[in-house]
Amino acid sequence: MSLPRITRLPPVRLLSSIYHHHCQQLLLPSITPLTVPRRTVVQNEYRRPGQPKEDKWPWQKMNFGLSKGLEGIKKHFTLMKKEFSDTWVGPEGKPVLEHMLEQNRVVCEFRNPEDLEQWTVSSDREIGGQSEVYLKLGKYNTCFLYGTLCSAPPKDGETRYSGYCTMRSKQQLSSLDRKKHYDWTSFNTLHLRVRGDGRPWMISIGTETYFSHQKDDLYCYFLYTRGGPYWQDVKIPFSKFFLTHRGRIQDDQHPLWLDKVNTVGFTLGDKADGPFQLEIDYIGVCKDYAHTEEFAYELYKRNPEV
Amino acid sequence: MSPMLSSTLLFALGIGTTITFASSHWFLAWMGLEINTLAILPLMAQYHHPRAVEATLKYFLTQATAASTLLFATTTNAWLTGQWDIQHMTHPLPATLFTLALALKVGLAPLHIWLPEVLQGLDLGTGLIMSTWQKLAPFALLIQIYPANSTLLIILGLASTLVGGWGGLNQTQLRKILAYSSVAHLGWMVLVLQFSPALTLLTLLMYLIMTFSTFLAFKLTNATNINALATAWTKAPALTALMPLVLLSLGGLPPLSGFMPKWLILQELSKQDLALTATLAALTALLSLYFYLRLSYAMALTMFPNTPTGTPPWRFQSSQVTFPLAISVTATLMLLPLTPTITALLTS
């Protein structure tokens, strides 16, 4: 991965001397000095390299129209009314008996184009790479993710590796744009029905990180697709998911807590250039009573007293 | 966490509460509360889990707010009345502020919203300390002040019993259920505070014993949601048989110990011509009873459809010491016949 650009920039005084004397160009045209975003630990907006600079103030980008306001009010009040009425039925709008008895739950099904709106796709094109990824509704009302992977790194002189495509669910919002979390504590296994092309994918689950200030924490596990015309039922226990931060596996592992799950994602980065496709019928969770493992990885002490 | 560190923190927890118990100066009492807060924060965050960090952060923010409001109230009282003695808080404004600050500290409605989220992020052992030990110091102060805010205390009490019962109805997480149970019990304690502080103390002690049993039982069966309770019978069948009674004791049903404080409080409220308050409190207790019954049903009175008859978990010797659980369960179930003795002790 590329190093932070700020560490590579020469001091400002030297920059101005370079421009003045038209000396050997140390800076590439794509780098804009003094406006390069710094990597911070707080949840700031990050301007990806290659994207145009923001030259409008926030209020210039917003639409203050009355119709938009009225639509917003209607939408939020409808959601609020639904929330209030759901509490009369039970937690999350279902009776408690259903919560106690259910052993399987379908979380995502792809039957309408609106279901695809809940997902966002991304590839290394955003950092200057050449991969392509598209999402559409498959032939039999499934989610069809396809594209081309290209691991040629962008020509910016810094990025050494590239070639990834990803699809991630959007953060669910309840009324007044508050975050809504999935509560999967009654379950212990992720159940997917997929049809791939033999490529290995990475499934990542994102939990609530607002208070821990680690917004790039993801719990990941592998999905090895079989390829071929037959559907594949994949069941991955949640105890197998390991903690990563910005793609790097962490030493300090802990189990995934299932009471505030925000997003699920699929990433492909197997360095094999060429077309790919992944078809997903549904994503669900289930309770496997035979699986009693709490966490699959060693919670060893990193600095044991000798 | 190393044993030295955890024993230091637990000692600090004890010292903080003891300082608050032993103080007659507001400043010293505030200091004891702060020591308590600061000592439990590392215990809450020791596992470095994002949810534990979230719970610690929320706990710190609420407790810091409460402590600063408390200090402001006591400083205002010192400015207005010229003295710092705890038992001479006579001016109504600082007394109100002080009551609200302590309500935020313990989690009385409508200042209770932090409690379920914080308890949910903790493991059961730390949750136990938070639900039991951390309530002692604020109540020690509440009991000592002159009851200048009778209306406020009644409102806080009734709101807490109502919210505690209602809020717990839609929960499937056991720690959140126990948080709402805590809110409801605190409501009962505060209702009778101005009429009989001894009864408040009795309710607090009974609540501590019952909550102690419940938390330890859940810790033994490693249950954090209602579904996990359904398979608790395979791990500890004797405990599973007793737990419904413990939960019904929490609900305040005779002939179990939990009935004692509720009965005496209703009697006291009736004597003070607050029959409507007593009726409302008794009705709201039914809401709490509903979710306790639901837990009892899930644990002992129903057999779930997919119980694996062929693969029950191995019943290993538990690493958790069960002696305290045995004592507390006995106390939770069997203390009602001692009511006359306890009442005599309280009124003497």
Side-chain angles (χ1 to χ4, degrees):
Chain A
M1 295 297 290
S2 58
L3 293 169
R5 288 188 180 185
I6 198 70
T7 59
R8 298 263 182 115
L9 280 178
V12 175
R13 236 179 300 132
L14 185 56
L15 280 174
S16 56
S17 68
I18 288 167
Y19 279 113
H20 277 306
H21 296 295
H22 303 287
C23 281
Q24 169 194 355
Q25 210 174 0
L26 294 180
L27 299 171
L28 294 170
S30 60
I31 295 174
T32 49
L34 299 179
T35 57
V36 175
R38 261 177 298 167
R39 202 178 265 184
T40 61
V41 295
V42 298
Q43 299 189 23
N44 277 338
E45 281 298 316
Y46 169 60
R47 183 174 69 85
R48 288 184 179 275
Q51 282 191 349
K53 200 173 64 169
E54 294 288 344
D55 54 357
K56 282 189 179 175
W57 292 106
W59 54 86
Q60 288 174 325
K61 288 184 282 182
M62 279 161 65
N63 173 16
F64 287 103
L66 181 68
S67 58
K68 182 182 171 232
L70 287 174
E71 260 174 45
I73 289 172
K74 189 175 152 195
K75 174 184 136 199
H76 288 299
F77 272 95
T78 314
L79 284 171
M80 226 187 299
K81 189 178 131 195
K82 184 171 181 303
E83 262 179 55
F84 276 122
S85 57
D86 280 349
T87 49
W88 290 102
V89 178
E92 294 171 15
K94 288 188 281 196
V96 174
L97 202 61
E98 204 177 305
H99 277 273
M100 282 159 66
L101 291 175
E102 71 177 341
Q103 290 157 31
N104 298 284
R105 188 194 287 181
V106 174
V107 176
C108 299
E109 246 182 343
F110 303 93
R111 301 292 179 252
N112 307 308
E114 289 83 32
D115 293 330
L116 289 184
E117 296 293 316
Q118 302 301 319
W119 293 79
T120 178
V121 293
S122 165
S123 69
D124 63 355
R125 187 166 280 258
E126 291 172 8
I127 57 164
Q130 292 157 42
S131 304
E132 292 169 353
V133 64
Y134 306 99
L135 185 66
K136 68 173 186 185
L137 214 52
K139 193 172 166 190
Y140 301 106
N141 279 348
T142 55
C143 163
F144 196 79
L145 181 74
Y146 65 102
T148 315
L149 201 68
C150 176
S151 47
K155 296 190 174 76
D156 56 7
E158 283 185 335
T159 313
R160 284 178 290 167
Y161 310 108
S162 185
Y164 69 87
C165 294
T166 179
M167 163 178 140
R168 193 170 173 182
S169 64
K170 290 184 184 164
Q171 171 71 58
Q172 280 199 314
L173 297 174
S174 67
S175 61
L176 303 174
D177 285 341
R178 289 172 300 140
K179 280 187 193 171
K180 201 157 69 164
H181 312 289
Y182 292 113
D183 181 5
W184 293 344
T185 40
S186 309
F187 310 98
N188 62 2
T189 307
L190 185 70
H191 184 173
L192 311 163
R193 190 158 186 264
V194 299
R195 185 159 58 180
D197 53 357
R199 285 186 184 252
W201 290 76
M202 181 85 95
I203 304 176
S204 39
I205 295 180
T207 54
E208 178 60 31
T209 52
Y210 179 78
F211 292 96
S212 61
H213 282 258
Q214 303 291 346
K215 80 175 170 90
D216 299 312
D217 270 0
L218 286 175
Y219 297 84
C220 301
Y221 198 70
F222 317 105
L223 167 66
Y224 291 101
T225 54
R226 211 186 291 134
Y230 300 109
W231 286 95
Q232 188 181 350
D233 272 292
V234 177
K235 281 192 176 180
I236 306 171
F238 288 119
S239 60
K240 302 286 185 200
F241 281 79
F242 50 86
L243 174 69
T244 60
H245 180 81
R246 292 193 166 179
R248 288 180 163 81
I249 303 176
Q250 300 302 296
D251 286 338
D252 196 9
Q253 289 289 330
H254 53 252
L256 161 64
W257 276 39
L258 294 157
D259 54 350
K260 279 190 178 179
V261 173
N262 283 348
T263 58
V264 178
F266 298 86
T267 308
L268 177 68
D270 61 350
K271 298 182 208 166
D273 292 359
F276 66 87
Q277 60 189 46
L278 179 72
E279 205 173 342
I280 305 174
D281 185 14
Y282 64 81
I283 299 171
V285 285
C286 65
K287 172 98 177 163
D288 184 3
Y289 281 99
H291 182 81
T292 51
E293 184 183 60
E294 285 184 10
F295 192 53
Y297 309 105
E298 189 66 44
L299 297 168
Y300 63 89
K301 232 176 167 180
R302 281 171 297 144
N303 297 309
E305 292 96 31
V306 178
Chain B
M1 190 180 274
S2 73
M4 176 71 99
L5 193 55
S6 52
S7 47
T8 309
L9 290 169
L10 290 170
F11 179 70
L13 264 183
I15 277 278
T17 307
T18 313
I19 287 175
T20 308
F21 280 174
S23 60
S24 57
H25 193 286
W26 272 119
F27 219 76
L28 198 61
W30 173 83
M31 224 171 66
L33 290 173
E34 284 290 271
I35 292 172
N36 249 4
T37 306
L38 293 174
I40 204 175
L41 292 176
L43 286 172
M44 289 165 77
Q46 62 180 312
Y47 295 113
H48 293 287
H49 193 280
R51 295 303 312 287
V53 167
E54 177 184 340
T56 312
L57 192 67
K58 285 179 178 171
Y59 186 71
F60 171 70
L61 289 173
T62 48
Q63 299 294 304
T65 311
S68 57
T69 313
L70 190 75
L71 194 60
F72 178 63
T74 55
T75 319
T76 312
N77 186 60
W79 179 43
L80 291 170
T81 61
Q83 51 82 32
W84 287 89
D85 199 34
I86 292 179
Q87 289 176 358
H88 289 111
M89 180 163 255
T90 49
H91 201 279
L93 174 62
T96 310
L97 264 179
F98 165 79
T99 311
L100 288 173
L102 284 178
L104 179 57
K105 265 248 177 238
V106 296
L108 278 165
L111 304 163
H112 67 286
I113 296 170
W114 59 274
L115 191 58
E117 290 282 311
V118 167
L119 267 185
Q120 176 62 18
L122 302 176
D123 59 295
L124 286 162
T126 320
L128 168 64
I129 299 176
M130 234 207 66
S131 293
T132 53
W133 188 258
Q134 296 291 80
K135 309 280 185 242
L136 288 173
F139 264 97
L141 295 175
L142 267 173
I143 282 173
Q144 287 181 69
I145 60 161
Y146 188 77
N149 284 300
S150 53
T151 318
L152 178 64
L153 288 174
I154 301 273
I155 291 172
L156 286 175
L158 278 179
S160 301
T161 51
L162 187 63
V163 163
W166 217 341
L169 288 177
N170 253 346
Q171 304 298 332
T172 50
Q173 296 290 331
L174 291 178
R175 284 163 292 187
K176 282 195 177 176
I177 287 177
L178 288 175
Y180 282 105
S181 148
S182 167
V183 171
H185 278 95
L186 292 170
W188 280 90
M189 289 173 218
V190 155
L191 266 179
V192 80
L193 180 64
Q194 52 188 307
F195 308 117
S196 174
L199 267 182
T200 302
L201 201 57
L202 170 69
T203 315
L204 179 65
L205 288 174
M206 281 310 308
Y207 163 72
L208 293 188
I209 294 170
M210 294 187 292
T211 309
F212 189 78
S213 317
T214 318
F215 264 100
L216 279 188
F218 290 158
K219 197 161 180 275
L220 191 73
T221 50
N222 202 20
T224 48
N225 62 346
I226 298 183
N227 283 341
L229 283 182
T231 48
W233 67 272
T234 56
K235 296 170 196 162
L239 185 65
T240 310
L242 286 174
M243 269 312 286
L245 297 174
V246 171
L247 288 163
L248 292 179
S249 181
L250 262 173
L253 281 189
L256 304 164
S257 311
F259 179 61
M260 188 197 330
K262 288 196 163 69
W263 169 27
L264 295 172
I265 288 173
L266 289 175
Q267 192 177 346
E268 186 62 39
L269 287 174
S270 309
K271 277 191 213 164
Q272 303 289 340
D273 287 331
L274 288 172
L276 181 61
T277 310
T279 312
L280 284 172
L283 286 174
T284 51
L286 289 175
L287 293 170
S288 308
L289 184 63
Y290 182 75
F291 59 76
Y292 294 132
L293 262 176
R294 182 192 288 159
L295 294 184
S296 315
Y297 261 71
M299 205 164 180
L301 300 175
T302 51
M303 186 72 91
F304 270 51
N306 198 28
T307 312
T309 52
T311 56
W314 287 101
R315 276 193 237 155
F316 293 117
Q317 187 74 20
S318 167
S319 58
Q320 184 178 308
V321 175
T322 49
F323 183 64
L325 178 61
I327 302 283
S328 60
V329 166
T330 313
T332 307
L333 301 182
M334 308 261 193
L335 281 183
L336 189 65
L338 291 177
T339 307
T341 315
I342 293 171
T343 319
L345 277 171
L346 287 174
T347 50
S348 64

